[in-house]
């Protein structure tokens, strides 16, 4: 998909065309209108969006009277008991100030609705049903108001908080407000009680800290692919972050991209997200004199489609605001600049969008532009005609894009991937999920008789050329990678990194993926379905985890990886003493050793309990580095351990489970290696 420059529209009035600070979209009677606002001494311009043409000027309104020099440069459409208004930020106002919007999109009378507890100095506003959530800049409060039948407002609740960008989103049965503030650098998630309006902060500090978002300037949300998504722009970090919003309000990072020489969202100021025919598109722009277009895959990854740099004809110097509308068979992108007058229109043709489908076995696309994704079992993806995006699954994936310019998206940690019919110079290989990969020079690239084989860390890609001959790196990658830099949102055990060490629960434990699991706090959860690839996720500090399995029933092996926290003091010199006794064929001081005692005693996991284990335990007990870090092992609760002796400590970790509609429930035994006395 290509960003096409269509033109620049303006009214000819400097007060209305220069310094556009915000744009907003509103659909009235089946027509889509764009409202641009220029702030103090300026006014509002209304543009009617028409398929295949530049926007048509519909109305203009200059700010007048007491608000002329008190109005900010933000515009927020709301509906108050059926009365559509464009709300403004007016510093001296005591109530909600806005212009009526007539059914034909034109601007009506100026209105002030009630007195607001925090005043009319509003930095952000969102609406869900009859509940408004308003960020009051002067008082530092975020408040909820109910819209009464006559259009008046009644305060429901408030909390201390700041926001200059807010969105409201439903996840499960909950309603959540995502609030970002560029000045304080904060991003907060609030659970909104629809009955009382009470705002409860959801702690997402851990998830956000790993992303490193600096100066968040915009937040957008969308419900797609059966999930709720949040996208945040960071001007200070030159980044876009994608997070899934869980039903309990937790944010789960799925992608984090940085601007590069090939993209145009450095110091990103605004972004827009739009869903069209089951596909999701993200557009961003800022101080990089242009805009960048992405599509969002069902697993929450951003795939770069195109970037458009400013020209002598367009007006994209230091992008300040942008809006994206789905008009007929195209996306219309309207962009306002800090330096150039008027609005620049770009368009993207979406008249050939196909299906979005995930699965296993054979997944076949249409003759249009499809997004096909692999799964946890072996999958063959057949794109057919059209410009398709094929996303590798966790298990072995075979891809065939067919005709058209296709994008093959790899997944780190997957089984080997095979690409058939690769068209050099036409198709594109997207490897940005591979951690720390920045240039093709980091890859092991081997030409073969039929194409090429690519290796990186433990990843293997076999490419078979459409012409049947060998491929060079230049034929596959051109001059290099095109697109943003993707930063891993979870390194897992990449490069020797391990899950955070933490306390656990000794002995028999019950595990349920729908609840908290104290014994699994900060552990890595691995599920390998029979005949499929391994899915690995990190449990939170309460041991909650979500494998993200597709609907259906899958049998497989569940394994837990969890290191030991030295701060818990559960391994002591007394444990070393017991191991010394075992190493010379003596019972522990409490009597005969159980198989669990022997497993705990074999801390170096060489299958024999001896003095080397005792030395390792002694080092661990006093905080000295040992040859092997202490860790937890998790066994099937019903495993037969009767054959374990001091000279034959042999056992299998993990348990065979059945996952039903992404739910796993099982019983295991947790043993802390080195903790002999309490095992």
């Amino acid at each position: 998909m290509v960003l096409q420059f269509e033109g620049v529209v303006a009214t000819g009035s400097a007060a209305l065309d220069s310094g556009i600070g915000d744009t907003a979209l509103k659909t009235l009677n089946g027509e889509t209108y764009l409202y641009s606002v220029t702030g103090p001494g300026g006014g509002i311009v209304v543009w009617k969006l028409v398929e295949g043409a530049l926007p048509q000027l519909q109305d203009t309104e200059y700010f007048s009277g007491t608000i002329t020099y008190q109005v900010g440069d933000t515009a927020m459409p709301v509906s108050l008991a059926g009365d559509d208004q464009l709300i403004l930020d007016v510093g001296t106002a005591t109530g909600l100030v806005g212009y009526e919007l007539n059914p034909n999109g034109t601007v009506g009378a100026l209105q002030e609705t009630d007195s607001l507890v925090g005043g009319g100095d509003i930095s952000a506003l969102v609406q869900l049903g009859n509940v408004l959530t308003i960020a009051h800049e002067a008082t530092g409060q975020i408040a909820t108001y109910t819209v009464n039948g006559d259009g008046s407002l009644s305060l429901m609740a408030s909390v201390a908080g700041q926001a200059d960008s807010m969105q409201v989103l439903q996840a499960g049965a909950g309603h959540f407000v995502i609030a970002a503030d560029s000045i304080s650098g904060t991003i907060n998630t609030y659970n909104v009680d629809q009955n009382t309006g009470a705002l409860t902060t959801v702690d997402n500090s851990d998830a956000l800290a790993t992303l490193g978002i600096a100066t968040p300037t915009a937040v957008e949300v969308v419900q797609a692919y059966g999930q709720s998504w949040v996208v945040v722009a960071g001007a200070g970090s030159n980044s876009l972050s994608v997070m899934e919003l869980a039903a309990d309000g937790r944010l789960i990072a799925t992608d984090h991209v940085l601007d590069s020489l090939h993209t145009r969202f450095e110091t990103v100021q605004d972004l827009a997200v739009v869903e069209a025919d089951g596909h999701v598109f993200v557009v961003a722009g800022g101080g990089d004199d242009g805009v960048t277009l992405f599509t969002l895959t069902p697993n929450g990854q951003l795939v770069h489609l195109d970037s458009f740099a400013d020209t002598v004809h367009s007006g994209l110097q230091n992008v300040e605001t942008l809006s994206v509308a789905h008009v007929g068979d195209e996306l219309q992108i309207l962009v306002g600049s800090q330096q150039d007058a008027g609005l620049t229109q770009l368009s993207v043709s979406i008249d050939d969008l196909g299906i979005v489908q995930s699965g296993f076995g054979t997944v076949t696309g249409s003759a249009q532009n499809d997004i096909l994704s692999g799964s946890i079992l072996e999958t063959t993806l057949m794109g057919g005609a059209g410009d398709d995006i094929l996303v590798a699954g966790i298990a072995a994936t075979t891809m065939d894009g067919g005709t058209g310019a296709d994008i093959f998206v790899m997944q780190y940690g997957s089984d080997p991937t095979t690409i058939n019919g690769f068209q050099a110079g036409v198709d594109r290989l997207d490897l940005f999920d591979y951690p720390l990969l920045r240039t093709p020079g980091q890859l092991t690239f081997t030409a073969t008789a039929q194409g090429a084989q690519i290796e990186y860390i433990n990843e293997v890609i076999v490419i078979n050329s459409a012409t049947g001959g060998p491929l060079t790196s230049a034929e596959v990658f051109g001059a290099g990678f095109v697109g943003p830099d993707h930063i891993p949102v979870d390194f897992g055990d990449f490069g020797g990194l391990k899950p955070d060490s933490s306390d656990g629960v000794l002995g028999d434990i019950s595990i349920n993926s729908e609840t908290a699991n104290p014994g699994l706090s900060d552990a890595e959860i691995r599920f390998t379905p029979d005949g499929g690839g391994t899915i690995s996720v990190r449990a939170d500090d309460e041991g909650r985890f979500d494998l993200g399995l597709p609907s259906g029933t899958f049998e497989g092996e569940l394994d837990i990886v969890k290191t030991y926290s030295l701060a818990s003091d559960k391994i002591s010199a007394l444990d070393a003493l017991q191991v010394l006794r075992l190493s010379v064929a003596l019972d522990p001081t409490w009597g005969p050793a159980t198989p669990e005692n022997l497993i705990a005693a074999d801390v170096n996991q060489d299958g024999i309990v001896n003095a080397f284990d005792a030395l390792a335990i002694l080092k661990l007990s006093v905080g000295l580095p040992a040859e092997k870090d202490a860790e937890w092992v998790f066994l099937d609760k019903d495993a037969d351990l009767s054959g374990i002796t001091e000279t034959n400590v042999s056992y299998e970790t993990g348990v065979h489970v059945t996952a039903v509609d992404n739910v796993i429930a099982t019983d295991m035994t947790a043993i802390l290696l080195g903790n002999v006395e309490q095992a």
Side-chain angles (χ1 to χ4, degrees):
M1 290 186 174
V2 177
L3 289 163
Q4 178 68 42
F5 171 67
E6 301 294 349
V8 178
V9 293
T11 66
S13 167
L16 300 177
D17 296 333
S18 299
I20 296 173
D22 199 8
T23 55
L25 294 167
K26 184 70 176 179
T27 299
L28 299 166
N29 292 328
E31 302 288 351
T32 301
Y33 300 92
L34 181 121
Y35 299 83
S36 63
V37 178
T38 52
I44 303 169
V45 180
V46 186
W47 299 94
K48 182 180 178 180
L49 304 187
V50 181
E51 182 179 5
L54 289 173
Q56 299 176 356
L57 181 62
Q58 187 77 359
D59 195 13
T60 60
E61 180 74 28
Y62 290 90
F63 299 134
S64 61
T66 57
I67 74 166
T68 303
Y69 296 103
Q70 296 297 322
V71 68
D73 57 1
T74 59
M76 299 159 279
V78 301
S79 180
L80 304 178
D83 180 19
D84 293 310
Q85 292 189 23
L86 188 69
I87 301 301
L88 305 174
D89 171 20
V90 180
T92 57
T94 59
L96 196 66
V97 176
Y99 283 94
E100 290 182 347
L101 299 181
N102 297 320
N104 63 354
T106 58
V107 176
L110 185 65
Q111 301 286 338
E112 183 167 5
T113 305
D114 289 332
S115 294
L116 300 178
V117 174
D121 192 3
I122 295 170
S123 56
L125 178 154
V126 290
Q127 181 174 15
L128 182 64
N130 66 340
V131 176
L132 296 183
T133 304
I134 298 175
H136 295 287
E137 191 168 5
T139 61
Q141 294 283 313
I142 296 177
T144 55
Y145 297 83
T146 186
V147 180
N148 301 313
D150 60 356
S152 62
L153 303 177
S154 297
L155 177 68
M156 300 176 77
S158 65
V159 295
Q162 295 175 306
D164 49 27
S165 180
M166 285 199 308
Q167 295 293 338
V168 62
L169 182 63
Q170 183 172 347
H175 297 87
F176 301 91
V177 168
I178 315 297
D181 185 68
S182 59
I183 297 176
S184 63
T186 57
I187 302 169
N188 289 308
T189 305
Y190 301 100
N191 188 350
V192 183
D193 188 309
Q194 286 296 98
N195 295 318
T196 66
L199 294 158
T200 304
T201 303
V202 180
D203 184 8
N204 277 308
S205 54
D206 288 345
L208 292 167
T210 62
L211 294 177
I213 303 171
T215 318
T217 46
V219 58
E220 292 290 338
V221 298
V222 67
Q223 286 186 307
Y225 315 131
Q227 296 165 291
S228 300
W229 304 97
V230 177
V231 186
V232 177
S237 48
N238 304 315
S239 65
L240 299 176
S241 302
V242 182
M243 292 164 279
E244 179 190 348
L245 180 68
D248 59 1
R250 290 179 299 119
L251 293 173
I252 304 167
T254 59
D255 204 1
H256 182 74
V257 301
L258 303 181
D259 179 65
S260 70
L261 293 175
H262 307 286
T263 55
R264 291 283 169 172
F265 60 93
E266 182 181 3
T267 60
V268 55
Q269 296 300 306
D270 203 7
L271 66 90
V273 179
V274 61
E275 186 273 337
D277 299 334
H279 294 243
V280 177
F281 299 94
V282 177
V283 183
D288 215 5
D289 300 345
V291 299
T292 296
L293 171 69
F294 299 91
T295 190
L296 182 70
T297 68
N299 63 359
Q301 266 187 313
L302 291 172
V303 176
H304 177 247
L305 297 178
D306 195 22
S307 291
F308 183 90
D310 192 26
T311 69
V312 294
H313 303 291
S314 60
L316 299 175
Q317 293 187 76
N318 294 337
V319 170
E320 174 69 15
T321 178
L322 59 84
S323 291
V324 181
H326 179 191
V327 182
D329 286 334
E330 62 185 11
L331 298 180
Q332 294 189 1
I333 304 166
L334 284 303
V335 187
S337 159
Q338 291 180 349
Q339 293 180 254
D340 299 313
L343 291 170
T344 295
Q345 185 192 51
L346 304 174
S347 70
V348 179
S349 174
I350 56 171
D351 64 345
D352 209 18
L353 292 181
I355 64 173
V356 178
Q357 187 170 330
S358 302
F360 49 86
T362 299
V363 180
T364 303
S366 67
Q368 298 175 298
N369 302 335
D370 307 310
I371 299 179
L372 307 180
S373 303
S375 186
I376 61 176
L377 301 181
E378 188 172 338
T379 307
T380 297
L381 304 177
M382 303 295 294
D387 300 336
D388 304 309
I389 297 175
L390 308 182
V391 184
I394 297 297
T397 307
T398 300
M399 304 176 173
D400 191 327
T403 58
D406 304 309
I407 302 174
F408 301 95
V409 181
M410 300 299 107
Q411 297 293 302
Y412 178 67
S414 65
D415 288 344
T417 301
T418 301
I419 299 172
N420 293 326
F422 184 85
Q423 304 171 90
V426 177
D427 294 337
R428 175 156 63 92
L429 193 56
D430 187 327
L431 305 179
F432 286 110
D433 194 53
Y434 290 178
L436 306 182
L437 179 61
R438 295 293 176 266
T439 70
Q442 296 173 257
L443 302 168
T444 300
F445 189 100
T446 305
T448 66
Q450 293 78 36
Q453 178 167 307
I454 299 173
E455 299 176 52
Y456 180 74
I457 312 178
N458 297 318
E459 308 299 306
V460 177
I461 307 169
V462 175
I463 304 178
N464 295 316
S465 169
T467 61
L471 292 168
T472 66
S473 179
E475 287 176 312
V476 175
F477 298 110
F481 295 152
V482 177
D485 290 332
H486 290 242
I487 305 301
V489 295
D490 184 359
F491 278 92
D493 60 354
F494 171 73
L497 296 179
K498 295 184 177 180
D500 293 338
S501 61
S502 60
D503 294 338
V505 176
L506 289 163
D508 294 340
I509 60 173
S510 293
I511 296 172
N512 191 311
S513 60
E514 291 188 303
T515 65
N517 301 278
L520 304 188
S521 57
D522 302 314
E524 183 180 353
I525 316 298
R526 297 175 179 173
F527 176 65
T528 306
D530 297 342
T534 299
I535 299 169
S536 179
V537 299
R538 186 67 51 83
D540 64 16
D541 56 4
E542 294 182 339
R544 299 178 185 271
F545 65 94
D546 181 3
L547 291 168
L549 301 174
S551 298
T553 300
F554 301 94
E555 294 189 8
E557 195 73 15
L558 181 71
D559 261 310
I560 313 294
V561 178
K562 181 178 169 68
T563 54
Y564 161 68
S565 172
L566 294 174
S568 63
D569 294 328
K570 288 181 178 177
I571 297 177
S572 69
L574 291 177
D575 293 301
L577 173 63
Q578 305 300 345
V579 174
L580 281 174
R581 292 179 63 89
L582 289 168
S583 69
V584 294
L586 294 176
D587 287 337
T589 56
W590 59 79
T594 66
E596 289 82 3
N597 293 145
L598 297 174
I599 291 173
D602 183 24
V603 70
N604 61 14
Q605 296 178 289
D606 64 356
I608 302 172
V609 178
N610 56 30
F612 291 109
D613 293 305
L615 178 59
I617 292 173
L618 190 59
K619 287 181 177 180
L620 290 168
S621 69
V622 295
L624 292 176
E627 288 72 16
K628 189 175 180 62
D629 292 335
E631 62 180 287
W632 296 81
V633 294
F634 294 82
L635 287 65
D636 185 345
K637 181 183 175 183
D638 298 324
D640 182 5
L641 306 178
S642 60
I644 292 179
T645 66
E646 289 87 342
T647 59
N648 181 34
V649 185
S650 177
Y651 56 92
E652 294 289 337
T653 60
V655 59
H656 197 77
V657 299
T658 300
V660 181
D661 293 338
N662 196 36
V663 177
I664 288 178
T666 190
D667 294 322
M668 300 186 78
T669 298
I671 299 174
L672 174 58
L673 299 186
N675 186 209
V676 182
E677 289 216 321
Q678 298 183 33

